[in-house]
Amino acid sequence: MSEGTEVQNHSTRLILHVWPSEWELPSLDPQCIAAILYMQLTFPGRYSIAECSDPDQSPSGQLPFLTHEHTEVSPLPSIISYLDSLARVEAQAADVTLDANLTLSAAHRAVAWKSYIASELGDILSYQLYVEHYWTFTHGALAKLMSFPQRLYVPNRLRKVHQPRLEAIGMWDAHYIEEPEPTKPTTKAPQQPGIPPVQIYKHAFARERLLNKARTAFELLSGLLGDHDFIYGDSPTTIDIILAAHILPILHIPFPTSTISDELRKSYDTLATHADRILKLSREPPPAPILGTPTVRSSLSAVFNSWRKEKNAFAQEKEKESVTKSDFSAKYGKWIFGLIAGVGSMVYLFATGIVSIQNAEEDELEVTPDIFDLEEEDE
């Protein structure tokens, strides 16, 4: 491979920005996990990973997002569509994507199932992360990954993003809205710090409700998978990736209580095995390199997100070159043409008499005698 080709390949490399990897997972977020799994199966060795803990750097305000030359793509569905289009253009064929062999009816069902997975399993994860274990686990885990000043406001802002959805389905517990109070010295019987006794029963009811919701979703998804290695056909499709990306965090995130993960491994081991199978397949190609240097704005500049430059940070690596004559003519040619056309039009109007210039003093001399004549006639 020539040096010029290597430079071109480097300049067109895909860069995927995701939440950092944690707990032996490619990332701590299911959407980011799905993006990494998809790219490992479709573009192995052709992309890099930029671990990011500031969603303000994404054009959609959420991770993951993909950069390719001057293009930024987000969120996950847009990333998958962009990569599918890129694969078809490069291969000059339509049957190169993961879902290319799906029938029309199977493709329609896959869309519905992907929406169901993201909704139901996403709600279960959101409740565990941002309600049940937020102050005891999630807040500290997120803040540890962030630099100042993101750690002061980003975790709470992420929590507020999930609040409307959880409120709509009745899974937002009012007790967890505020941080629990510290333990106060007392001579009475000990109780859980900051939690009134009535809340203990309320939490137990909420956990049972969450477990029933998880069982319902796991039961339906287990029936969809059946005894097959993959949901459709003999190879993974995007629905396999979406399912695995939501099952893996449930299995591997070390929540203080492991009721959901224990139930998943014990009663629905086919889903756990399927998720591990997809993860293993994604690790067969060499892992994508993780960029060691920052590729985006600094932490402080991210606070003033509305003032950032509109230019892509990844397109500013080349030095500015001197302006050539062709660049000069392309930039100023229209202005020169407009100036010449305007001057020519004015000359034509004066030459043909359409527009004329009269002396104001001559007009006054012509008008003055007429006025005197009128006065003499009146006398």
Side-chain angles (χ1 to χ4, degrees):
M1 182 181 294
S2 63
E3 182 179 356
T5 306
E6 292 180 357
V7 173
Q8 183 178 3
N9 290 340
H10 177 73
S11 63
T12 59
R13 178 176 289 272
L14 300 161
I15 301 178
L16 182 64
H17 302 256
V18 296
W19 285 100
S21 59
E22 283 287 326
W23 311 301
E24 299 182 356
L25 293 173
S27 177
L28 56 85
D29 177 74
Q31 300 293 315
C32 295
I33 294 174
I36 295 174
L37 295 178
Y38 188 87
M39 296 199 71
Q40 276 292 101
L41 296 178
T42 55
F43 287 84
R46 293 190 51 193
Y47 74 102
S48 301
I49 290 179
E51 292 189 342
C52 174
S53 57
D54 181 14
D56 283 338
Q57 296 173 359
S58 170
S60 65
Q62 57 182 321
L63 298 174
F65 75 98
L66 179 73
T67 58
H68 180 222
E69 295 182 341
H70 303 285
T71 304
E72 294 182 345
V73 187
S74 181
L76 178 64
S78 299
I79 292 175
I80 293 178
S81 298
Y82 181 83
L83 293 175
D84 286 348
S85 300
L86 184 62
R88 286 191 290 265
V89 169
E90 292 181 348
Q92 296 296 318
D95 57 347
V96 294
T97 62
L98 293 182
D99 296 342
N101 296 326
L102 293 181
T103 62
L104 183 60
S105 60
H108 290 166
R109 291 195 301 270
V111 172
W113 278 113
K114 284 186 286 187
S115 177
Y116 177 82
I117 293 169
S119 175
E120 294 299 312
L121 299 188
D123 291 342
I124 294 171
L125 268 175
S126 296
Y127 180 85
Q128 290 184 293
L129 285 169
Y130 298 105
V131 178
E132 184 177 8
H133 305 300
Y134 179 73
W135 292 112
T136 58
F137 175 77
T138 307
H139 185 274
L142 290 176
K144 182 180 65 175
L145 300 173
M146 299 174 183
S147 57
F148 181 84
Q150 276 75 28
R151 66 166 63 101
L152 301 179
Y153 65 91
V154 172
N156 288 333
R157 194 180 68 181
L158 292 175
R159 191 185 191 213
K160 291 181 180 179
V161 169
H162 292 82
Q163 179 178 348
R165 168 65 183 175
L166 294 176
E167 284 181 337
I169 60 176
M171 294 182 66
W172 184 262
D173 193 337
H175 167 73
Y176 292 107
I177 293 179
E178 300 296 338
E179 184 175 4
E181 298 178 357
T183 306
K184 297 180 180 180
T186 178
T187 57
K188 297 181 180 180
Q191 63 181 25
Q192 290 182 258
I195 303 179
V198 67
Q199 290 292 343
I200 298 176
Y201 299 100
K202 186 177 181 180
H203 294 169
F205 177 78
R207 292 191 188 98
E208 187 64 26
R209 182 183 177 187
L210 178 68
L211 182 59
N212 291 334
K213 181 180 179 67
R215 285 171 176 166
T216 301
F218 294 158
E219 188 70 30
L220 288 174
L221 295 172
S222 295
L224 176 66
L225 179 61
D227 298 330
H228 306 288
D229 291 341
F230 307 104
I231 296 177
Y232 295 114
D234 299 329
S235 60
T237 58
T238 54
I239 187 174
D240 294 287
I241 292 174
I242 300 299
L243 177 59
H246 285 81
I247 293 293
L248 288 171
I250 297 177
L251 293 173
H252 293 279
I253 295 180
F255 292 116
T257 58
S258 57
T259 306
I260 303 298
S261 59
D262 291 343
E263 181 70 16
L264 181 59
R265 293 185 183 276
K266 178 181 177 181
S267 303
Y268 307 96
D269 60 324
T270 55
L271 294 178
T273 303
H274 172 267
D276 292 335
R277 182 182 300 114
I278 298 297
L279 183 61
K280 183 179 179 180
L281 281 176
S282 69
R283 289 175 174 173
E284 289 181 356
I290 298 177
L291 300 180
T293 57
T295 58
V296 285
R297 302 173 305 281
S298 63
S299 300
L300 287 175
S301 64
V303 179
F304 307 99
N305 189 40
S306 60
W307 297 348
R308 67 179 182 177
K309 295 181 180 179
E310 295 181 356
K311 292 184 178 180
N312 191 325
F314 303 97
Q316 298 179 354
E317 298 179 356
K318 297 183 179 180
E319 297 180 355
K320 295 182 179 179
E321 300 179 356
S322 59
V323 180
T324 60
K325 293 183 179 180
S326 59
D327 294 333
F328 180 86
S329 60
K331 186 175 182 180
Y332 299 102
K334 293 182 179 180
W335 293 98
I336 296 174
F337 175 80
L339 179 61
I340 295 174
V343 173
S345 299
M346 294 299 297
V347 172
Y348 173 79
L349 293 175
F350 287 128
T352 56
I354 298 176
V355 176
S356 61
I357 300 177
Q358 296 180 352
N359 193 340
E361 295 180 357
E362 294 178 359
D363 292 340
E364 292 178 0
L365 292 175
E366 293 177 357
V367 173
T368 302
D370 294 339
I371 296 175
F372 288 129
D373 293 339
L374 291 174
E375 291 178 354
E376 291 177 358
E377 291 176 1
D378 292 337
E379 292 178 355

